[in-house]
Amino acid sequence: MSGVIAGFSVILSVVVIGYMLGRVPVLGPNAKDVLTKLAFYVASPALLFTILADTDLSILLSGSVVVTVLSVVTVATVFAMVAAVRRWGVGRTTVGTLASSYVNAGNLGIPIAAYVLDDASLVAPILLMQLLIMAPVGLTILDLNGGGVRGFWPVLRRSLGTPVRNPVVIGSLAGVVLSASGWDPPGPLMEPFELIGGMAVPAMLLAFGISLYGSPAPGRGPDKGPVLLAVSLKSVVQPLVAWLLGALVFDLESATLFSVVVLAALPTAQNVFTYATQYRTGEAMVREVVLLTTFLTVPVLFTLTFLLG
């Protein structure tokens, strides 16, 4: 479990630095917004481009991917249905659905896959699914919800055009195209993207830490219901569904089953907070979900390792 502890220690350290920057505002009052825009428009597209360009797309055909997809769809559907009944609104429902199912496959998933599961490539399928399906769909809905577009044909045109205008989606699709082409670009051509992409995770974590300063204790504000639902789905239901499907339906062998369940138990990714902040929708709710699921991941992973490892 040293990988889990190391991964969380790094994340916590950067978040604490962000909190201190919020407390001592040396970066100015708009630091959170600037860092969020930097991550959303510049650093994240570059990071996703380099990751996906170096990923073998054949992993999407593995059996464990089906279990991962179904576990994500299950918890996302539950949150969306409850939100529809409670009338939480399109924007909050969208970011809440992402918060309940979008795992931290990058800065936490990679070290955990490497040190706990002994194979960093295991995180690639869920990373690809999130980047190529969940993020484009969620961002398109958020864009349409905030764009004032009405009518079938205007909405259709906006829906088809939004993915190709979104920098996160553009970077992801460019990486997939490069991977599928089989071309291995020379190092000097990729280095600028790798250098810029290296800012993505620190910028997200710093913006998250800044947002924590002055915020109320999680789970007590007006978003208590959506927060508790999303946290329960992400930290408990998603890994449980993954285990049920993997063990009882798809009969995965023990090592594969363990890896699928562990990855399903990862906390909500900071990307979702970046999206919520960018679209000014459910920021406080997502911030609390990210914080609570991150703290819960350690005991959850220890429990899973004891039961399945």
Side-chain angles (χ1 to χ4, degrees):
M1 295 297 291
S2 60
V4 178
I5 297 173
F8 275 97
S9 299
V10 171
I11 289 176
L12 180 61
S13 299
V14 181
V15 170
V16 169
I17 293 174
Y19 178 85
M20 296 305 298
L21 289 174
R23 186 179 181 87
V24 184
V26 294
L27 299 182
N30 299 318
K32 184 195 74 173
D33 292 336
V34 172
L35 288 170
T36 298
K37 290 182 183 297
L38 174 67
F40 186 81
Y41 287 105
V42 182
S44 290
L47 175 64
L48 300 177
F49 171 70
T50 57
I51 290 176
L52 294 175
D54 196 38
T55 300
D56 183 2
L57 300 180
S58 64
I59 60 175
L60 293 176
L61 303 177
S62 62
S64 60
V65 173
V66 179
V67 175
T68 298
V69 170
L70 290 177
S71 64
V72 168
V73 170
T74 299
V75 295
T77 301
V78 171
F79 187 95
M81 291 176 63
V82 173
V85 172
R86 300 298 299 271
R87 297 182 180 179
W88 287 339
V90 175
R92 286 210 307 165
T93 298
T94 301
V95 295
T97 299
L98 290 175
S100 66
S101 57
Y102 201 111
V103 307
N104 193 331
N107 50 320
L108 251 187
I110 291 175
I112 287 177
Y115 292 106
V116 179
L117 305 176
D118 296 322
D119 187 358
S121 67
L122 291 172
V123 79
I126 192 168
L127 186 63
L128 285 173
M129 180 189 66
Q130 292 181 162
L131 297 178
L132 300 181
I133 300 175
M134 295 177 67
V137 171
L139 294 174
T140 297
I141 294 173
L142 290 172
D143 186 79
L144 291 172
N145 183 59
V149 179
R150 298 293 182 270
F152 176 77
W153 292 112
V155 168
L156 179 61
R157 287 194 297 269
R158 186 66 174 263
S159 299
L160 295 176
T162 293
V164 297
R165 292 194 303 268
N166 188 290
V168 174
V169 179
I170 291 172
S172 301
L173 292 178
V176 169
V177 170
L178 182 57
S179 177
S181 71
W183 180 48
D184 186 16
L189 188 61
M190 295 297 292
E191 284 179 4
F193 295 100
E194 295 171 353
L195 183 63
I196 295 174
M199 295 188 296
V201 173
M204 292 179 193
L205 294 175
L206 288 173
F208 181 73
I210 291 173
S211 73
L212 292 177
Y213 176 69
S215 300
R220 298 180 182 180
D223 291 319
K224 180 179 180 180
V227 168
L228 294 181
L229 175 61
V231 170
S232 300
L233 290 171
K234 182 73 220 58
S235 297
V236 180
V237 178
Q238 188 169 353
L240 178 60
V241 170
W243 177 78
L244 290 172
L245 290 172
L248 304 181
V249 179
F250 292 89
D251 195 26
L252 298 179
E253 58 99 11
S254 58
T256 302
L257 177 63
F258 179 61
S259 66
V260 169
V261 176
V262 165
L263 294 177
L266 292 174
T268 302
Q270 280 81 16
N271 304 55
V272 183
F273 176 73
T274 300
Y275 302 154
T277 302
Q278 177 63 29
Y279 287 93
R280 305 294 184 186
T281 303
E283 296 175 59
M285 175 184 70
V286 175
R287 179 180 60 241
E288 293 182 11
V289 173
V290 171
L291 185 63
L292 290 174
T293 56
T294 300
F295 280 123
L296 285 173
T297 297
V298 173
V300 169
L301 288 181
F302 272 105
T303 301
L304 291 176
T305 303
F306 176 75
L307 295 176
L308 303 175

